[in-house]
Amino acid sequence: MNKLQQGTPAFRKANFALFAGGFITFSILYDVQPLMPIFSKEFHVSAATGSLTLSVTTFTLAVAMLITSSLSEAWGRKIIMAASLLLSSLLVIFTAFSSNFGSLLGFRVVQGVVLAGLPAIAMAYLGEEVEPKSLGVAMGIYISGNSIGGMAGRIITGAITDFFSWRIAMGSIGLISFILSIWFWRHLPNSKYFSPKPLKLKQLFTSLFRHLKDPALLCLYVIAFILMGSFVTLYNYIGFQLLNPPYNLSQTIVGWIFIVYLTGTFSSTWMGQLSDRLGQKNVLSMGLVMMISGAAITLASPLLVKIAGIALFTFGFFGSHSIASSWVGRRATSEKAQASSLYLFFYYSGSSLAGTTGGFFWTHFGWSGVIGFIVLLLLFAFPLTLRLAAIPAKMVQSK
């Protein structure tokens, strides 16, 4: 029985299905980001409180991902991924009918738990079912679905909200996602190389604790927190500034600013290749400098200059994230799935905690306060990067 190979109908079906799965997951996760100023006005809450619509979801996603991957070892890959997508799609539709901010947050909390089913398992499915020579292509297609979904979710909700309302926008995302979820369920090939294993949560937590005792991995986890925390903070509050004077942009235009995400498609590959020649420490430091420079440029008043700063910041983020996440894979010599899940836990925790904290700086100090907070976060990453480079390779093993 052959594994999925590039060029075969089964390979194409699997890739289209997982592209759709990534698209659904990240469009649902981030569809609220351009709507935060609207939530603040409609429900009479502060910017920081409005940002909780994303923060609570990324936090429960981070926690749930630590468990979901282990559940799939016992229950199977496809069934959990399909259930995750279908339930997430229905939850978005229910969220559109939220009567108050409390119910909106409640739906988003549950959304994070349910969404964890796909990102925690998709890479494991590909690693098992796709032949090694075709795995790079398959993984690239899946990850592109993630990035395009995150971008499209923001753009679609922004545009539909302008013409109708945020409720119709979220309902539309839910309907599109439900249709794509059916496609995923019907077309993703069943697992052929998966063997169920007994559920051993104790073993999971033991391995997680073991990784946390590795000083290099701990540095990488804190860097993940800093990177995602600063990234989400910038995008959470840029809409508040651009919707107000002197810019007075429409919700649609603000949503389209997220198209600069496409710079990440290039930077993650380019900086990954560059690290092979210049070293991971040097390229990660370069990415951090790009992020700080881009954030500082957004303090300029001209709109085009501000957008250029956002683009540079985004370029640096995706490149830095690719270096840090790949460094985790090289550092952990055993139980790599648990090491990666911890990286994602810190990554999304940064989104939740820093993303909401940024609202305090926006409320009290405006955009310059937000940028000051972001720059301060990123500066902490430099000594961690130097510490990483100083840790001897012989400490790599996780015992």
Side-chain angles (χ1 to χ4, degrees):
M1 190 183 295
N2 294 326
K3 291 193 173 187
L4 299 174
Q5 297 179 2
Q6 188 175 359
T8 62
F11 181 86
R12 286 192 292 271
K13 279 188 175 182
N15 275 277
F16 281 131
L18 283 168
F19 178 92
F23 182 96
I24 294 164
T25 300
F26 287 88
S27 64
I28 290 174
L29 180 62
Y30 290 111
D31 62 359
V32 296
Q33 199 166 39
L35 303 179
M36 290 175 186
I38 292 175
F39 294 149
S40 293
K41 289 180 181 178
E42 181 167 331
F43 296 112
H44 307 291
V45 296
S46 67
T49 303
S51 73
L52 288 173
T53 52
L54 177 59
S55 295
V56 296
T57 311
T58 53
F59 183 74
T60 52
L61 171 72
V63 175
M65 284 180 68
L66 295 175
I67 309 297
T68 310
S69 56
S70 293
L71 292 178
S72 74
E73 296 287 352
W75 297 351
R77 311 295 194 200
K78 181 177 177 179
I79 187 171
I80 293 182
M81 289 191 289
S84 168
L85 296 176
L86 288 166
L87 289 174
S88 296
S89 303
L90 292 174
L91 270 171
V92 181
I93 296 172
F94 295 153
T95 305
F97 293 95
S98 301
S99 58
N100 53 56
F101 191 71
S103 63
L104 175 62
L105 278 188
F107 280 125
R108 291 292 293 177
V109 167
V110 179
Q111 189 79 76
V113 176
V114 176
L115 278 173
L118 186 106
I121 301 169
M123 290 187 179
Y125 172 91
L126 287 171
E128 291 164 352
E129 304 300 322
V130 177
E131 60 136 2
K133 290 183 179 179
S134 304
L135 185 57
V137 173
M139 201 70 77
I141 293 173
Y142 163 65
I143 292 173
S144 67
N146 295 351
S147 59
I148 293 173
M151 181 181 68
R154 294 164 166 105
I155 292 173
I156 291 170
T157 51
I160 295 178
T161 298
D162 244 359
F163 287 100
F164 301 101
S165 71
W166 70 265
R167 297 178 187 275
I168 292 177
M170 294 194 75
S172 301
I173 291 288
L175 182 60
I176 292 168
S177 297
F178 188 78
I179 293 169
L180 289 175
S181 298
I182 297 294
W183 169 272
F184 177 93
W185 175 48
R186 290 175 60 88
H187 289 86
L188 183 73
N190 293 321
S191 296
K192 295 180 180 178
Y193 296 90
F194 166 77
S195 299
K197 302 173 185 176
L199 187 60
K200 295 180 180 178
L201 291 180
K202 182 180 179 181
Q203 183 177 330
L204 165 68
F205 289 112
T206 301
S207 67
L208 293 176
F209 181 71
R210 189 181 302 122
H211 287 311
L212 287 173
K213 291 195 295 183
D214 182 331
L217 286 176
L218 192 56
C219 285
L220 287 166
Y221 295 152
V222 178
I223 288 171
F225 181 99
I226 291 170
L227 289 175
M228 189 57 163
S230 58
F231 181 71
V232 167
T233 298
L234 185 139
Y235 277 99
N236 274 0
Y237 302 103
I238 189 64
F240 285 90
Q241 188 184 40
L242 297 181
L243 288 169
N244 292 325
Y247 305 104
N248 295 315
L249 299 184
S250 68
Q251 196 71 48
T252 301
I253 298 300
V254 170
W256 272 102
I257 286 174
F258 291 102
I259 197 116
V260 299
Y261 258 51
L262 294 177
T263 63
T265 305
F266 171 72
S267 71
S268 56
T269 303
W270 178 68
M271 289 178 70
Q273 294 171 343
L274 198 62
S275 69
D276 293 334
R277 292 192 287 113
L278 303 181
Q280 291 168 300
K281 181 198 77 171
N282 294 327
V283 178
L284 179 55
S285 298
M286 184 176 72
L288 292 169
V289 170
M290 288 181 184
M291 291 182 73
I292 291 174
S293 301
I297 289 171
T298 67
L299 292 171
S301 297
L303 181 59
L304 290 179
V305 175
K306 194 178 291 288
I307 293 173
I310 295 171
L312 178 60
F313 178 87
T314 304
F315 187 96
F317 165 75
F318 278 105
S320 299
H321 171 44
S322 70
I323 298 298
S325 57
S326 65
W327 205 333
V328 170
R330 290 188 175 98
R331 179 73 187 180
T333 56
S334 64
E335 299 164 325
K336 290 178 180 287
Q338 282 78 18
S340 296
S341 67
L342 266 175
Y343 178 88
L344 291 173
F345 172 78
F346 278 84
Y347 182 77
Y348 286 115
S349 294
S351 168
S352 303
L353 299 177
T356 297
T357 303
F360 169 84
F361 290 91
W362 167 256
T363 301
H364 294 279
F365 306 106
W367 186 244
S368 59
V370 172
I371 296 304
F373 173 61
I374 289 171
V375 170
L376 186 63
L377 266 180
L378 291 169
L379 287 174
F380 276 111
F382 284 100
L384 292 171
T385 304
L386 293 174
R387 170 68 178 140
L388 265 171
I391 296 173
K394 65 181 180 180
M395 295 179 63
V396 168
Q397 294 182 3
S398 299
K399 294 182 179 178

